Amino acid sequence: MARKQGSHSDITGPRIEEAAAQLIARHGYAAVSMRQIATEVGVQVGALYNYTPDKQSLLFDMMHNHMDTLLSALKAENINGDALTRLEAFTRFHIRFHLPRPDQVFIAYMELRNLDPANFAKIGVMRRSYEDALADILQQGETEGAFAVSDTRVAARALIAMLTGLSHWYREEGQLEIARIETIYWDLVRKAVSI
Amino acid sequence: MARKQGSHSDITGPRIEEAAAQLIARHGYAAVSMRQIATEVGVQVGALYNYTPDKQSLLFDMMHNHMDTLLSALKAENINGDALTRLEAFTRFHIRFHLPRPDQVFIAYMELRNLDPANFAKIGVMRRSYEDALADILQQGETEGAFAVSDTRVAARALIAMLTGLSHWYREEGQLEIARIETIYWDLVRKAVSI
DNA sequence: GTCTATAGCGGGATAGAC
DNA sequence: GTCTATCCCGCTATAGAC
């Protein structure tokens, strides 16, 4: 892990992101020092500042990348059809996207407080956009008479909290289990909004 | 708010807990300094150490008190009857207990990482105990044939995550609304576990 | 019980050599 | 691009006067 003086590498950037994500997810942004991150990467502190202007940008970029990837992936799913079909697609997409990224999910939900006001606002918009995608599906279900939720925005938040909670305790216990987890959660979601 | 030198007060203890809870909920344990807490209370830093041996104890005591109050209150509810009745009682209890304590809820779920290993273990036991209370109800429902959840432990976690997520965004917009929120969430829970 | 003062440490960030 | 060295600041916790 230790690097020699003068050893150059153009993969230091990605390694910083990885190390920072791991450490921040485990200990929290405020509790992790730039020195710790540098040690984990195998460079000296000064080297980090070739890749990020400051610690805050490190956090924001991680969260922004995460939300950006999430929204792009959701869009790419191109979820169409009747409300029930779309809800199932959304639910399974959410689980499949979030489960392999426990660190990013943790950070995205725990470190909002540590964002500068301007950065907080930007992430807030992205989060609301994701929430809206689910709320839209629920609204369609109401219109079609397929769902019964008295408040689509509240229900959307409730369901996302339920689904995301999964990422807070689930740790890979074999790939086979994921399918089962998906089914359990889809059952809960499907019935929760049913007539 | 500012206190004069030599002014004594036996209510400083409680005020420290309040101030610490507010600040930590808003900014995070690691980001809040003892100086900030002292300023908020209106004393100098040294005075805090008449009430707590160190910063870590401040955090642990807050979380321990919260969990202790939660478990006592749950026990006092004495939830009996058939599974559906008990589930409704649990759901409404959870919401009524958590909504007035947004700071403590936030801390209890966000600051686990900042507990010493020994303290972490103690809080973990208490959290699991609360989870078990709900899992028991779900198990009873399975036995009675009133509920259909394929995994009671997973379902318990999912439902608690959903219910607790409420505390993360709900802010008092008039007491009247609480009844409505309770109904919306009870509808979701009831249907989620239904046959 | 609270104050002032300070010890001792570790933090973020920068400068300049290589 | 990385290193070493360092500035300056704020942190937790303690000591001793009042």
Side-chain angles (χ1 to χ4, degrees):
Chain A
M1 211 64 114
R3 317 256 311 276
K4 299 283 166 51
Q5 173 178 6
S7 96
H8 296 189
S9 172
D10 39 20
I11 59 161
T12 298
R15 295 198 63 213
I16 290 173
E17 246 187 284
E18 279 174 47
Q22 262 193 29
L23 287 169
I24 292 176
R26 179 133 32 215
H27 305 291
Y29 171 77
V32 171
S33 70
M34 295 296 271
R35 282 172 172 80
Q36 278 176 272
I37 296 170
T39 300
E40 186 70 18
V41 174
V43 296
Q44 293 300 315
V45 146
L48 296 184
Y49 291 87
N50 289 319
Y51 299 91
T52 182
D54 49 35
K55 195 186 174 191
Q56 170 71 204
S57 300
L58 209 52
L59 177 62
F60 174 69
D61 288 348
M62 284 177 39
M63 293 181 67
H64 184 81
N65 280 345
H66 175 68
M67 291 306 299
D68 200 48
T69 310
L70 172 64
L71 292 175
S72 298
L74 176 62
K75 197 164 188 176
E77 285 281 311
N78 214 339
I79 294 175
N80 289 317
D82 59 23
L84 191 65
T85 303
R86 291 181 70 202
L87 183 60
E88 178 168 6
F90 183 93
T91 301
R92 293 187 185 276
F93 162 77
H94 184 98
I95 294 174
R96 281 180 199 157
F97 184 89
H98 284 79
L99 274 196
R101 297 168 168 83
D103 288 347
Q104 278 73 14
V105 175
F106 227 70
I107 293 169
Y109 283 80
M110 299 279 200
E111 303 295 355
L112 287 165
R113 291 173 298 181
N114 288 307
L115 289 174
D116 284 348
N119 289 339
F120 182 85
K122 287 177 200 158
I123 301 296
V125 169
M126 299 174 95
R127 287 170 63 89
R128 227 161 295 124
S129 162
Y130 188 67
E131 207 176 282
D132 287 346
L134 176 53
D136 279 356
I137 295 173
L138 296 181
Q139 190 54 53
Q140 180 188 346
E142 282 285 325
T143 306
E144 289 178 2
F147 300 160
V149 288
S150 36
D151 188 310
T152 53
R153 293 209 58 82
V154 171
R157 281 174 177 161
L159 294 178
I160 288 177
M162 184 170 81
L163 291 172
T164 305
L166 169 56
S167 295
H168 295 339
W169 61 263
Y170 182 83
R171 291 298 170 265
E172 314 177 25
E173 308 154 40
Q175 293 291 46
L176 280 181
E177 292 291 341
I178 292 187
R180 174 154 170 68
I181 290 283
E182 241 181 68
T183 302
I184 294 174
Y185 272 78
W186 166 233
D187 269 2
L188 289 167
V189 169
R190 177 178 53 78
K191 291 195 288 181
V193 302
S194 66
I195 302 175
Chain B
M1 209 64 113
R3 317 258 309 280
K4 299 281 165 52
Q5 174 177 4
S7 96
H8 297 188
S9 169
D10 39 22
I11 59 161
T12 299
R15 296 198 62 213
I16 290 173
E17 246 187 284
E18 278 173 48
Q22 261 195 28
L23 287 168
I24 293 176
R26 179 135 27 216
H27 306 292
Y29 171 76
V32 171
S33 70
M34 295 296 270
R35 279 175 172 81
Q36 281 177 271
I37 296 170
T39 300
E40 187 69 19
V41 174
V43 296
Q44 293 300 315
V45 141
L48 296 184
Y49 291 88
N50 289 318
Y51 299 90
T52 183
D54 49 35
K55 194 185 174 190
Q56 170 71 204
S57 299
L58 208 53
L59 177 63
F60 174 70
D61 288 348
M62 283 177 39
M63 292 180 68
H64 184 80
N65 281 345
H66 176 69
M67 291 306 298
D68 201 47
T69 309
L70 172 66
L71 292 174
S72 299
L74 177 62
K75 199 165 188 176
E77 286 281 312
N78 215 339
I79 294 175
N80 289 316
D82 60 22
L84 191 64
T85 304
R86 291 180 70 204
L87 184 60
E88 179 169 6
F90 183 93
T91 301
R92 293 188 185 275
F93 163 77
H94 184 98
I95 294 174
R96 283 181 199 157
F97 184 89
H98 285 78
L99 274 197
R101 297 169 169 83
D103 288 348
Q104 278 73 16
V105 174
F106 226 70
I107 293 169
Y109 283 79
M110 299 281 200
E111 302 296 354
L112 287 166
R113 290 172 299 180
N114 288 307
L115 288 173
D116 283 348
N119 289 339
F120 182 84
K122 287 177 200 161
I123 300 296
V125 170
M126 299 175 94
R127 286 170 62 89
R128 227 161 294 122
S129 164
Y130 187 70
E131 204 177 283
D132 288 346
L134 176 54
D136 281 355
I137 294 172
L138 296 181
Q139 191 54 54
Q140 181 188 344
E142 281 286 326
T143 307
E144 289 178 2
F147 300 159
V149 289
S150 36
D151 188 311
T152 53
R153 293 210 58 82
V154 172
R157 282 174 176 161
L159 294 178
I160 288 176
M162 184 171 80
L163 291 173
T164 305
L166 169 56
S167 296
H168 295 338
W169 60 264
Y170 182 82
R171 291 300 170 262
E172 315 178 23
E173 309 156 38
Q175 292 292 43
L176 280 180
E177 292 291 341
I178 292 186
R180 173 153 170 72
I181 291 282
E182 242 181 66
T183 302
I184 294 174
Y185 273 78
W186 166 234
D187 268 3
L188 290 167
V189 169
R190 176 178 54 79
K191 291 194 289 181
V193 303
S194 66
I195 303 173

